[in-house]
Amino acid sequence: MKKNDVSIIGAGLIGSLLGIYLQKRGLDVSIYEKRPDLRDKKYAPAGRSINMALSDRGWKALDKIGLREMVAPYVIPMYGRRVHDEHGETSFLPYGKENQAIYSISRGKFNHMLVDEAERYGAKMNFNHSCEEISIADTAIKVVLPDGTQEYRETDVIIGADGAYSSLRDAMQRQTRLNYKQEYISHGYKELTIPPTAEGEFAMDPNALHIWPRGQFMLIALPNPDKSFTCTLFLPFEGGKVCFDKINDEEDLESVFKTYFADAFALMPDLNKEYFGNPTSSLINVECFPWLANKSMLIGDACHAMVPFFGQGMNCGFEDCFILDGLIEKYGTTSWELVFEKFQKVRKPDTDAISEMARNNFTEMRDSVANPRFLVRKKIEAKLHELYPTEWIPLYTMVTFSDMKYADAYAQGKLQDEVMDKVMEDPMIMQNWQQVDYGAIISQIETARMV
Amino acid sequence: MKKNDVSIIGAGLIGSLLGIYLQKRGLDVSIYEKRPDLRDKKYAPAGRSINMALSDRGWKALDKIGLREMVAPYVIPMYGRRVHDEHGETSFLPYGKENQAIYSISRGKFNHMLVDEAERYGAKMNFNHSCEEISIADTAIKVVLPDGTQEYRETDVIIGADGAYSSLRDAMQRQTRLNYKQEYISHGYKELTIPPTAEGEFAMDPNALHIWPRGQFMLIALPNPDKSFTCTLFLPFEGGKVCFDKINDEEDLESVFKTYFADAFALMPDLNKEYFGNPTSSLINVECFPWLANKSMLIGDACHAMVPFFGQGMNCGFEDCFILDGLIEKYGTTSWELVFEKFQKVRKPDTDAISEMARNNFTEMRDSVANPRFLVRKKIEAKLHELYPTEWIPLYTMVTFSDMKYADAYAQGKLQDEVMDKVMEDPMIMQNWQQVDYGAIISQIETARMV
């Protein structure tokens, strides 16, 4: 009898975490990664976001395999959004209750740790190995080795954790009846830096996600352990007053930053060099179905790449691993088709929901958070949650600080939004929001839930 | 100055017709086709539909370059649908007025003629040349020659007429922000044959498209000049009483055919051999946008592959060529970006509309045509068109026997459908349909159009 060996394509965050999970289940895991070993210092990932925001679902997946303690020293808690207006005034919007935070972590460092762990558990890491061809029918991979030669490797199972531009998905698209959709949004992003101060300190409050919301565009910043901030500038590629297409020299750039991001500009000594040196990356949404074909399956961004505006891409991929592992626990490691079928069935509605919420959240981040009505609305919701902790849970909390199904969170969030829309119709709400009849709102949401 | 040379990928029906058009505009056309020369008798196209139905839009595109007379001897007019019920009884549903027909033509023969013509006009045909890589930024193709060597060829313009699995679109998907969607329907198809009778005659009425509508599935047959019929069996891949998955041997096959297609079965001596020898092909719908990137553009199925149920795939692709040529006539051959921009802008709403109509028409073909209420509805519509030829034009007529924009046809068809839904609500309509107040219906549609 053949060994139960699993080939994972991609040694990113999801691929390496999955490698650990599967090795712990006694499987024989090989991970193929076309890029060089990221632990080699010569390697600097290009065009990929440097910071991730780890939240509850991600921690839960780390907990199941005992990795919390390893990761904890490298994270910086962010307890809310710090919103910067055009005059440099800031206000703080908590994400949840006092102790609730999302955690900034460097993608590179995190990936490094997970690869080390996967290897420690016995996963065979194959860097500089690209998958030239994948045969879905034979569950086999034609691998290009670092020396350029090719090898045909049969395996029991292939799992594609190879991201938005997945080569396994590509193979499925050619060899099976895969329904597939990719959509780019009109905005792109560019990474910039706010370095530590001359005194070696954080230049801004480190325990917040900073946002400069400007309607059609925005800048954000996340803290790093070296006391710098990684900033991400989101602009339309073209069209509108401010867009990547219209920033062609230092003068254009300074004009945009001095007008819209003056306080950040003052903290960015290398802006010009970084702006014109760093790539402008695009933002893609990917949906497909089915996720499996024969004994191959997609996981993470490979089947549900989403835009980054809910900070859930990695957390959702980690939750994928957690759920897949639960199914393997239940059905064993000899019924892959069954496990894969169950996985896509349980998971697809949730990943559709979070993808849609992520798109919706872009408007919230770049526009609504600058709106006083929105802030009042959030305060009413926070108060409702405080008074009725199980009857009213803000959408952000359901997504970020719970493990309830994304699809359920989305559905509940919609009902709550309808009720809040009515509450906000009161013409005096901006004056009287502290006198709102919270009990009546709870009755309304309970009625809505019964319909 | 460089010559204005155009590379077309794909020497199918659309690629070769486009080659003729562009050579006639004085351009220097090279056509790359990965398959061998289809004029070589060893070559038999596998898994592609053998018959096409040429209708007005297709003829119009042939007329503009004087090809009608060349094609006319090879077509067989089909004036309507001949519907076969389970007992072998048939009824005839005309497609339009007495002289209106769609024309059955062999894909192979048609393609052969168009390739000959393209060559005669000076297009350079490159068979057995596959495009290994396409650089959108450089407008260049890495071609694999028949001997296996590779050549990098720069060109002024690339047009992808390479079908639903287009390699140009593939390159655009990797190199540009292409929005893309592919969807398979749950049904597949298989081609079968009704040969001529022992006397060498057509076994059924040759001047009709034969349909055996059976609700969830159907069989159709189109006449060939050699007095055979090419039949296409459309079944779900799986699920339901009758599907490809449940036909595993001669016994299963005969049981299905004797139960549902007894009259056809009696005319198919090679059914078993053909059924198990021919491939089961899938049906894909492809949408993408934009269609252009730099100086490359998609045309035909490459940007809008549709299901075949309105018989418009080829006609729509030919109309693409006609419209593109009109834009070149207007803007010249030195403003490709402008021509391509205009093309996708004018054409995308129309191809979206015909794709959707094609999906909708599947239900009509496999189900509605067997419904007496549907037939009465069609008769009322035909009468309306006869009495009010410009005020009421049935959707099928707008699509098939006119060149009005598909999107306009679709919008008009929807309005007419709403009016007809109301007409059909009369509980006595099946008895009284000949006494319908046609003038009142026309007033209704005119009111609907004004809203």
Side-chain angles (χ1 to χ4, degrees), chain A residues 170 173-174 177-186 237, chain B residues 170 173-174 177-186 237:
Chain A
D170 225 70
Q173 213 175 312
R174 282 151 209 274
R177 288 165 59 230
L178 181 73
N179 294 319
Y180 174 70
K181 184 176 177 182
Q182 67 176 46
E183 272 182 303
Y184 288 91
I185 65 167
S186 51
F237 278 99
Chain B
D170 227 70
Q173 213 174 311
R174 281 152 210 273
R177 291 165 57 229
L178 182 73
N179 293 320
Y180 175 70
K181 185 176 177 183
Q182 67 175 48
E183 271 181 305
Y184 287 91
I185 65 167
S186 52
F237 277 98

PDB file of all heavy atoms in Angstrom, chain A residues 170 173-174 177-186 237, chain B residues 170 173-174 177-186 237:
ATOM      1  N   ASP A 170      -5.232  26.882 -11.805  1.00  0.00           N
ATOM      2  CA  ASP A 170      -4.976  26.983 -13.232  1.00  0.00           C
ATOM      3  C   ASP A 170      -5.131  25.635 -13.924  1.00  0.00           C
ATOM      4  O   ASP A 170      -5.754  25.521 -14.975  1.00  0.00           O
ATOM      5  CB  ASP A 170      -3.530  27.444 -13.382  1.00  0.00           C
ATOM      6  CG  ASP A 170      -3.399  28.516 -14.397  1.00  0.00           C
ATOM      7  OD1 ASP A 170      -3.863  29.627 -14.118  1.00  0.00           O
ATOM      8  OD2 ASP A 170      -2.841  28.217 -15.463  1.00  0.00           O
ATOM      9  N   GLN A 173      -8.668  24.631 -13.986  1.00  0.00           N
ATOM     10  CA  GLN A 173      -9.400  25.407 -14.977  1.00  0.00           C
ATOM     11  C   GLN A 173      -9.242  24.825 -16.381  1.00  0.00           C
ATOM     12  O   GLN A 173     -10.126  24.919 -17.205  1.00  0.00           O
ATOM     13  CB  GLN A 173      -8.868  26.845 -14.947  1.00  0.00           C
ATOM     14  CG  GLN A 173      -9.916  27.886 -15.259  1.00  0.00           C
ATOM     15  CD  GLN A 173      -9.359  29.300 -15.082  1.00  0.00           C
ATOM     16  OE1 GLN A 173      -8.727  29.613 -14.080  1.00  0.00           O
ATOM     17  NE2 GLN A 173      -9.592  30.142 -16.044  1.00  0.00           N
ATOM     18  N   ARG A 174      -8.108  24.197 -16.627  1.00  0.00           N
ATOM     19  CA  ARG A 174      -7.866  23.621 -17.941  1.00  0.00           C
ATOM     20  C   ARG A 174      -8.372  22.201 -18.070  1.00  0.00           C
ATOM     21  O   ARG A 174      -8.752  21.749 -19.136  1.00  0.00           O
ATOM     22  CB  ARG A 174      -6.358  23.615 -18.257  1.00  0.00           C
ATOM     23  CG  ARG A 174      -5.849  24.957 -18.668  1.00  0.00           C
ATOM     24  CD  ARG A 174      -4.384  25.120 -18.290  1.00  0.00           C
ATOM     25  NE  ARG A 174      -4.098  26.510 -18.037  1.00  0.00           N
ATOM     26  CZ  ARG A 174      -3.768  27.388 -18.985  1.00  0.00           C
ATOM     27  NH1 ARG A 174      -3.635  27.005 -20.221  1.00  0.00           N
ATOM     28  NH2 ARG A 174      -3.569  28.654 -18.683  1.00  0.00           N
ATOM     29  N   ARG A 177     -14.268  21.061 -15.254  1.00  0.00           N
ATOM     30  CA  ARG A 177     -15.304  22.074 -15.492  1.00  0.00           C
ATOM     31  C   ARG A 177     -15.369  23.028 -14.304  1.00  0.00           C
ATOM     32  O   ARG A 177     -16.335  23.038 -13.565  1.00  0.00           O
ATOM     33  CB  ARG A 177     -16.645  21.390 -15.733  1.00  0.00           C
ATOM     34  CG  ARG A 177     -16.721  20.689 -17.092  1.00  0.00           C
ATOM     35  CD  ARG A 177     -17.878  19.714 -17.189  1.00  0.00           C
ATOM     36  NE  ARG A 177     -19.152  20.344 -16.979  1.00  0.00           N
ATOM     37  CZ  ARG A 177     -20.085  19.905 -16.143  1.00  0.00           C
ATOM     38  NH1 ARG A 177     -19.871  18.819 -15.427  1.00  0.00           N
ATOM     39  NH2 ARG A 177     -21.218  20.532 -16.023  1.00  0.00           N
ATOM     40  N   LEU A 178     -14.327  23.820 -14.152  1.00  0.00           N
ATOM     41  CA  LEU A 178     -14.259  24.739 -13.012  1.00  0.00           C
ATOM     42  C   LEU A 178     -14.962  26.056 -13.338  1.00  0.00           C
ATOM     43  O   LEU A 178     -14.628  26.717 -14.310  1.00  0.00           O
ATOM     44  CB  LEU A 178     -12.792  25.035 -12.665  1.00  0.00           C
ATOM     45  CG  LEU A 178     -12.580  25.961 -11.464  1.00  0.00           C
ATOM     46  CD1 LEU A 178     -12.892  25.236 -10.161  1.00  0.00           C
ATOM     47  CD2 LEU A 178     -11.168  26.519 -11.432  1.00  0.00           C
ATOM     48  N   ASN A 179     -15.914  26.432 -12.498  1.00  0.00           N
ATOM     49  CA  ASN A 179     -16.485  27.774 -12.607  1.00  0.00           C
ATOM     50  C   ASN A 179     -15.550  28.733 -11.902  1.00  0.00           C
ATOM     51  O   ASN A 179     -15.106  28.457 -10.783  1.00  0.00           O
ATOM     52  CB  ASN A 179     -17.872  27.813 -11.984  1.00  0.00           C
ATOM     53  CG  ASN A 179     -18.844  26.965 -12.770  1.00  0.00           C
ATOM     54  OD1 ASN A 179     -18.824  26.963 -13.994  1.00  0.00           O
ATOM     55  ND2 ASN A 179     -19.679  26.226 -12.071  1.00  0.00           N
ATOM     56  N   TYR A 180     -15.238  29.826 -12.558  1.00  0.00           N
ATOM     57  CA  TYR A 180     -14.182  30.682 -12.049  1.00  0.00           C
ATOM     58  C   TYR A 180     -14.476  32.145 -12.343  1.00  0.00           C
ATOM     59  O   TYR A 180     -14.997  32.479 -13.400  1.00  0.00           O
ATOM     60  CB  TYR A 180     -12.847  30.291 -12.700  1.00  0.00           C
ATOM     61  CG  TYR A 180     -11.725  31.216 -12.329  1.00  0.00           C
ATOM     62  CD1 TYR A 180     -11.231  31.198 -11.041  1.00  0.00           C
ATOM     63  CD2 TYR A 180     -11.205  32.131 -13.239  1.00  0.00           C
ATOM     64  CE1 TYR A 180     -10.212  32.080 -10.669  1.00  0.00           C
ATOM     65  CE2 TYR A 180     -10.201  33.011 -12.878  1.00  0.00           C
ATOM     66  CZ  TYR A 180      -9.708  32.976 -11.593  1.00  0.00           C
ATOM     67  OH  TYR A 180      -8.716  33.840 -11.217  1.00  0.00           O
ATOM     68  N   LYS A 181     -14.146  33.000 -11.394  1.00  0.00           N
ATOM     69  CA  LYS A 181     -14.360  34.435 -11.589  1.00  0.00           C
ATOM     70  C   LYS A 181     -13.252  35.224 -10.911  1.00  0.00           C
ATOM     71  O   LYS A 181     -12.949  34.987  -9.742  1.00  0.00           O
ATOM     72  CB  LYS A 181     -15.692  34.812 -10.959  1.00  0.00           C
ATOM     73  CG  LYS A 181     -16.113  36.242 -11.160  1.00  0.00           C
ATOM     74  CD  LYS A 181     -17.495  36.435 -10.553  1.00  0.00           C
ATOM     75  CE  LYS A 181     -17.942  37.869 -10.647  1.00  0.00           C
ATOM     76  NZ  LYS A 181     -19.258  38.055 -10.003  1.00  0.00           N
ATOM     77  N   GLN A 182     -12.623  36.118 -11.632  1.00  0.00           N
ATOM     78  CA  GLN A 182     -11.664  37.027 -11.009  1.00  0.00           C
ATOM     79  C   GLN A 182     -12.052  38.461 -11.348  1.00  0.00           C
ATOM     80  O   GLN A 182     -12.440  38.766 -12.466  1.00  0.00           O
ATOM     81  CB  GLN A 182     -10.228  36.743 -11.455  1.00  0.00           C
ATOM     82  CG  GLN A 182      -9.923  37.022 -12.920  1.00  0.00           C
ATOM     83  CD  GLN A 182      -8.465  36.805 -13.273  1.00  0.00           C
ATOM     84  OE1 GLN A 182      -7.863  35.808 -12.895  1.00  0.00           O
ATOM     85  NE2 GLN A 182      -7.881  37.739 -14.012  1.00  0.00           N
ATOM     86  N   GLU A 183     -12.009  39.311 -10.335  1.00  0.00           N
ATOM     87  CA  GLU A 183     -12.376  40.704 -10.537  1.00  0.00           C
ATOM     88  C   GLU A 183     -11.374  41.607  -9.848  1.00  0.00           C
ATOM     89  O   GLU A 183     -11.084  41.411  -8.665  1.00  0.00           O
ATOM     90  CB  GLU A 183     -13.744  40.985  -9.913  1.00  0.00           C
ATOM     91  CG  GLU A 183     -14.910  40.729 -10.828  1.00  0.00           C
ATOM     92  CD  GLU A 183     -16.214  41.070 -10.137  1.00  0.00           C
ATOM     93  OE1 GLU A 183     -16.490  40.499  -9.069  1.00  0.00           O
ATOM     94  OE2 GLU A 183     -16.952  41.900 -10.670  1.00  0.00           O
ATOM     95  N   TYR A 184     -10.879  42.588 -10.565  1.00  0.00           N
ATOM     96  CA  TYR A 184      -9.996  43.586  -9.969  1.00  0.00           C
ATOM     97  C   TYR A 184     -10.823  44.779  -9.538  1.00  0.00           C
ATOM     98  O   TYR A 184     -11.763  45.161 -10.234  1.00  0.00           O
ATOM     99  CB  TYR A 184      -8.942  44.039 -10.980  1.00  0.00           C
ATOM    100  CG  TYR A 184      -7.897  42.993 -11.246  1.00  0.00           C
ATOM    101  CD1 TYR A 184      -8.049  42.066 -12.260  1.00  0.00           C
ATOM    102  CD2 TYR A 184      -6.757  42.920 -10.450  1.00  0.00           C
ATOM    103  CE1 TYR A 184      -7.096  41.088 -12.494  1.00  0.00           C
ATOM    104  CE2 TYR A 184      -5.798  41.957 -10.684  1.00  0.00           C
ATOM    105  CZ  TYR A 184      -5.971  41.040 -11.701  1.00  0.00           C
ATOM    106  OH  TYR A 184      -5.025  40.080 -11.932  1.00  0.00           O
ATOM    107  N   ILE A 185     -10.488  45.376  -8.399  1.00  0.00           N
ATOM    108  CA  ILE A 185     -11.163  46.619  -8.069  1.00  0.00           C
ATOM    109  C   ILE A 185     -10.396  47.760  -8.738  1.00  0.00           C
ATOM    110  O   ILE A 185      -9.276  47.575  -9.222  1.00  0.00           O
ATOM    111  CB  ILE A 185     -11.305  46.835  -6.544  1.00  0.00           C
ATOM    112  CG1 ILE A 185      -9.961  47.001  -5.849  1.00  0.00           C
ATOM    113  CG2 ILE A 185     -12.075  45.675  -5.925  1.00  0.00           C
ATOM    114  CD1 ILE A 185     -10.096  47.528  -4.427  1.00  0.00           C
ATOM    115  N   SER A 186     -11.016  48.923  -8.748  1.00  0.00           N
ATOM    116  CA  SER A 186     -10.442  50.048  -9.499  1.00  0.00           C
ATOM    117  C   SER A 186      -9.235  50.644  -8.785  1.00  0.00           C
ATOM    118  O   SER A 186      -8.517  51.449  -9.362  1.00  0.00           O
ATOM    119  CB  SER A 186     -11.499  51.129  -9.689  1.00  0.00           C
ATOM    120  OG  SER A 186     -12.090  51.424  -8.429  1.00  0.00           O
ATOM    121  N   PHE A 237      -6.397  53.494  -9.700  1.00  0.00           N
ATOM    122  CA  PHE A 237      -5.345  53.514 -10.715  1.00  0.00           C
ATOM    123  C   PHE A 237      -5.480  54.754 -11.588  1.00  0.00           C
ATOM    124  O   PHE A 237      -4.514  55.425 -11.892  1.00  0.00           O
ATOM    125  CB  PHE A 237      -5.409  52.258 -11.596  1.00  0.00           C
ATOM    126  CG  PHE A 237      -4.735  51.087 -10.965  1.00  0.00           C
ATOM    127  CD1 PHE A 237      -5.476  50.122 -10.297  1.00  0.00           C
ATOM    128  CD2 PHE A 237      -3.365  50.943 -11.030  1.00  0.00           C
ATOM    129  CE1 PHE A 237      -4.850  49.029  -9.708  1.00  0.00           C
ATOM    130  CE2 PHE A 237      -2.722  49.858 -10.446  1.00  0.00           C
ATOM    131  CZ  PHE A 237      -3.473  48.901  -9.780  1.00  0.00           C
TER     132      PHE A 237
ATOM    133  N   ASP B 170      -5.537  34.323 -21.818  1.00  0.00           N
ATOM    134  CA  ASP B 170      -4.693  33.774 -20.766  1.00  0.00           C
ATOM    135  C   ASP B 170      -3.533  34.700 -20.424  1.00  0.00           C
ATOM    136  O   ASP B 170      -3.238  34.962 -19.260  1.00  0.00           O
ATOM    137  CB  ASP B 170      -4.118  32.466 -21.309  1.00  0.00           C
ATOM    138  CG  ASP B 170      -4.232  31.367 -20.315  1.00  0.00           C
ATOM    139  OD1 ASP B 170      -5.373  30.928 -20.073  1.00  0.00           O
ATOM    140  OD2 ASP B 170      -3.179  30.987 -19.767  1.00  0.00           O
ATOM    141  N   GLN B 173      -4.784  37.705 -18.734  1.00  0.00           N
ATOM    142  CA  GLN B 173      -5.167  37.387 -17.354  1.00  0.00           C
ATOM    143  C   GLN B 173      -3.960  37.414 -16.428  1.00  0.00           C
ATOM    144  O   GLN B 173      -4.070  37.733 -15.261  1.00  0.00           O
ATOM    145  CB  GLN B 173      -5.822  36.001 -17.349  1.00  0.00           C
ATOM    146  CG  GLN B 173      -6.911  35.856 -16.319  1.00  0.00           C
ATOM    147  CD  GLN B 173      -7.628  34.522 -16.454  1.00  0.00           C
ATOM    148  OE1 GLN B 173      -8.036  34.118 -17.547  1.00  0.00           O
ATOM    149  NE2 GLN B 173      -7.784  33.806 -15.352  1.00  0.00           N
ATOM    150  N   ARG B 174      -2.801  37.047 -16.960  1.00  0.00           N
ATOM    151  CA  ARG B 174      -1.595  37.029 -16.140  1.00  0.00           C
ATOM    152  C   ARG B 174      -0.894  38.383 -16.102  1.00  0.00           C
ATOM    153  O   ARG B 174      -0.238  38.724 -15.136  1.00  0.00           O
ATOM    154  CB  ARG B 174      -0.610  35.992 -16.696  1.00  0.00           C
ATOM    155  CG  ARG B 174      -0.978  34.592 -16.306  1.00  0.00           C
ATOM    156  CD  ARG B 174      -0.482  33.599 -17.352  1.00  0.00           C
ATOM    157  NE  ARG B 174      -1.376  32.447 -17.381  1.00  0.00           N
ATOM    158  CZ  ARG B 174      -1.251  31.395 -16.607  1.00  0.00           C
ATOM    159  NH1 ARG B 174      -0.253  31.330 -15.758  1.00  0.00           N
ATOM    160  NH2 ARG B 174      -2.097  30.398 -16.676  1.00  0.00           N
ATOM    161  N   ARG B 177      -4.863  43.660 -15.520  1.00  0.00           N
ATOM    162  CA  ARG B 177      -5.964  43.545 -14.565  1.00  0.00           C
ATOM    163  C   ARG B 177      -7.243  43.159 -15.298  1.00  0.00           C
ATOM    164  O   ARG B 177      -8.182  43.936 -15.408  1.00  0.00           O
ATOM    165  CB  ARG B 177      -6.139  44.858 -13.807  1.00  0.00           C
ATOM    166  CG  ARG B 177      -4.981  45.135 -12.853  1.00  0.00           C
ATOM    167  CD  ARG B 177      -4.934  46.564 -12.375  1.00  0.00           C
ATOM    168  NE  ARG B 177      -6.145  46.974 -11.720  1.00  0.00           N
ATOM    169  CZ  ARG B 177      -6.812  48.091 -11.994  1.00  0.00           C
ATOM    170  NH1 ARG B 177      -6.359  48.911 -12.905  1.00  0.00           N
ATOM    171  NH2 ARG B 177      -7.901  48.380 -11.350  1.00  0.00           N
ATOM    172  N   LEU B 178      -7.289  41.925 -15.796  1.00  0.00           N
ATOM    173  CA  LEU B 178      -8.440  41.464 -16.565  1.00  0.00           C
ATOM    174  C   LEU B 178      -9.513  40.896 -15.642  1.00  0.00           C
ATOM    175  O   LEU B 178      -9.252  39.970 -14.873  1.00  0.00           O
ATOM    176  CB  LEU B 178      -8.006  40.376 -17.561  1.00  0.00           C
ATOM    177  CG  LEU B 178      -9.127  39.849 -18.469  1.00  0.00           C
ATOM    178  CD1 LEU B 178      -9.492  40.883 -19.531  1.00  0.00           C
ATOM    179  CD2 LEU B 178      -8.734  38.531 -19.124  1.00  0.00           C
ATOM    180  N   ASN B 179     -10.712  41.422 -15.730  1.00  0.00           N
ATOM    181  CA  ASN B 179     -11.846  40.802 -15.049  1.00  0.00           C
ATOM    182  C   ASN B 179     -12.332  39.646 -15.911  1.00  0.00           C
ATOM    183  O   ASN B 179     -12.505  39.797 -17.117  1.00  0.00           O
ATOM    184  CB  ASN B 179     -12.959  41.820 -14.839  1.00  0.00           C
ATOM    185  CG  ASN B 179     -12.530  42.888 -13.864  1.00  0.00           C
ATOM    186  OD1 ASN B 179     -11.879  42.603 -12.863  1.00  0.00           O
ATOM    187  ND2 ASN B 179     -12.860  44.129 -14.165  1.00  0.00           N
ATOM    188  N   TYR B 180     -12.528  38.513 -15.290  1.00  0.00           N
ATOM    189  CA  TYR B 180     -12.783  37.313 -16.079  1.00  0.00           C
ATOM    190  C   TYR B 180     -13.735  36.373 -15.363  1.00  0.00           C
ATOM    191  O   TYR B 180     -13.662  36.224 -14.140  1.00  0.00           O
ATOM    192  CB  TYR B 180     -11.447  36.587 -16.333  1.00  0.00           C
ATOM    193  CG  TYR B 180     -11.631  35.273 -17.032  1.00  0.00           C
ATOM    194  CD1 TYR B 180     -12.032  35.238 -18.354  1.00  0.00           C
ATOM    195  CD2 TYR B 180     -11.453  34.064 -16.355  1.00  0.00           C
ATOM    196  CE1 TYR B 180     -12.238  34.031 -19.002  1.00  0.00           C
ATOM    197  CE2 TYR B 180     -11.650  32.852 -16.996  1.00  0.00           C
ATOM    198  CZ  TYR B 180     -12.047  32.842 -18.324  1.00  0.00           C
ATOM    199  OH  TYR B 180     -12.264  31.649 -18.954  1.00  0.00           O
ATOM    200  N   LYS B 181     -14.612  35.759 -16.115  1.00  0.00           N
ATOM    201  CA  LYS B 181     -15.562  34.806 -15.532  1.00  0.00           C
ATOM    202  C   LYS B 181     -15.820  33.667 -16.497  1.00  0.00           C
ATOM    203  O   LYS B 181     -16.125  33.899 -17.665  1.00  0.00           O
ATOM    204  CB  LYS B 181     -16.875  35.549 -15.270  1.00  0.00           C
ATOM    205  CG  LYS B 181     -17.918  34.731 -14.560  1.00  0.00           C
ATOM    206  CD  LYS B 181     -19.132  35.608 -14.278  1.00  0.00           C
ATOM    207  CE  LYS B 181     -20.246  34.823 -13.630  1.00  0.00           C
ATOM    208  NZ  LYS B 181     -21.441  35.668 -13.432  1.00  0.00           N
ATOM    209  N   GLN B 182     -15.678  32.444 -16.033  1.00  0.00           N
ATOM    210  CA  GLN B 182     -16.079  31.296 -16.858  1.00  0.00           C
ATOM    211  C   GLN B 182     -17.048  30.447 -16.058  1.00  0.00           C
ATOM    212  O   GLN B 182     -16.866  30.213 -14.867  1.00  0.00           O
ATOM    213  CB  GLN B 182     -14.867  30.474 -17.306  1.00  0.00           C
ATOM    214  CG  GLN B 182     -14.116  29.750 -16.192  1.00  0.00           C
ATOM    215  CD  GLN B 182     -12.998  28.870 -16.730  1.00  0.00           C
ATOM    216  OE1 GLN B 182     -12.206  29.305 -17.562  1.00  0.00           O
ATOM    217  NE2 GLN B 182     -12.907  27.636 -16.252  1.00  0.00           N
ATOM    218  N   GLU B 183     -18.109  30.019 -16.716  1.00  0.00           N
ATOM    219  CA  GLU B 183     -19.117  29.192 -16.058  1.00  0.00           C
ATOM    220  C   GLU B 183     -19.515  28.047 -16.966  1.00  0.00           C
ATOM    221  O   GLU B 183     -19.838  28.258 -18.136  1.00  0.00           O
ATOM    222  CB  GLU B 183     -20.378  30.026 -15.790  1.00  0.00           C
ATOM    223  CG  GLU B 183     -20.367  30.746 -14.474  1.00  0.00           C
ATOM    224  CD  GLU B 183     -21.659  31.512 -14.274  1.00  0.00           C
ATOM    225  OE1 GLU B 183     -22.005  32.335 -15.146  1.00  0.00           O
ATOM    226  OE2 GLU B 183     -22.323  31.270 -13.266  1.00  0.00           O
ATOM    227  N   TYR B 184     -19.490  26.844 -16.392  1.00  0.00           N
ATOM    228  CA  TYR B 184     -19.967  25.682 -17.142  1.00  0.00           C
ATOM    229  C   TYR B 184     -21.431  25.441 -16.796  1.00  0.00           C
ATOM    230  O   TYR B 184     -21.824  25.597 -15.637  1.00  0.00           O
ATOM    231  CB  TYR B 184     -19.157  24.446 -16.769  1.00  0.00           C
ATOM    232  CG  TYR B 184     -17.761  24.471 -17.339  1.00  0.00           C
ATOM    233  CD1 TYR B 184     -16.705  25.017 -16.623  1.00  0.00           C
ATOM    234  CD2 TYR B 184     -17.525  23.970 -18.605  1.00  0.00           C
ATOM    235  CE1 TYR B 184     -15.424  25.054 -17.155  1.00  0.00           C
ATOM    236  CE2 TYR B 184     -16.242  23.999 -19.140  1.00  0.00           C
ATOM    237  CZ  TYR B 184     -15.198  24.543 -18.414  1.00  0.00           C
ATOM    238  OH  TYR B 184     -13.947  24.578 -18.949  1.00  0.00           O
ATOM    239  N   ILE B 185     -22.239  25.066 -17.772  1.00  0.00           N
ATOM    240  CA  ILE B 185     -23.596  24.666 -17.417  1.00  0.00           C
ATOM    241  C   ILE B 185     -23.562  23.188 -17.025  1.00  0.00           C
ATOM    242  O   ILE B 185     -22.579  22.481 -17.255  1.00  0.00           O
ATOM    243  CB  ILE B 185     -24.621  24.949 -18.538  1.00  0.00           C
ATOM    244  CG1 ILE B 185     -24.360  24.109 -19.779  1.00  0.00           C
ATOM    245  CG2 ILE B 185     -24.614  26.440 -18.893  1.00  0.00           C
ATOM    246  CD1 ILE B 185     -25.523  24.137 -20.754  1.00  0.00           C
ATOM    247  N   SER B 186     -24.652  22.754 -16.411  1.00  0.00           N
ATOM    248  CA  SER B 186     -24.677  21.393 -15.865  1.00  0.00           C
ATOM    249  C   SER B 186     -24.780  20.323 -16.949  1.00  0.00           C
ATOM    250  O   SER B 186     -24.608  19.150 -16.681  1.00  0.00           O
ATOM    251  CB  SER B 186     -25.850  21.262 -14.902  1.00  0.00           C
ATOM    252  OG  SER B 186     -27.031  21.709 -15.553  1.00  0.00           O
ATOM    253  N   PHE B 237     -24.605  16.200 -17.043  1.00  0.00           N
ATOM    254  CA  PHE B 237     -23.501  15.287 -16.768  1.00  0.00           C
ATOM    255  C   PHE B 237     -23.904  14.279 -15.705  1.00  0.00           C
ATOM    256  O   PHE B 237     -23.630  13.090 -15.822  1.00  0.00           O
ATOM    257  CB  PHE B 237     -22.253  16.054 -16.299  1.00  0.00           C
ATOM    258  CG  PHE B 237     -21.447  16.613 -17.421  1.00  0.00           C
ATOM    259  CD1 PHE B 237     -21.585  17.936 -17.787  1.00  0.00           C
ATOM    260  CD2 PHE B 237     -20.568  15.797 -18.119  1.00  0.00           C
ATOM    261  CE1 PHE B 237     -20.844  18.461 -18.834  1.00  0.00           C
ATOM    262  CE2 PHE B 237     -19.816  16.319 -19.170  1.00  0.00           C
ATOM    263  CZ  PHE B 237     -19.960  17.655 -19.523  1.00  0.00           C
TER     264      PHE B 237
END
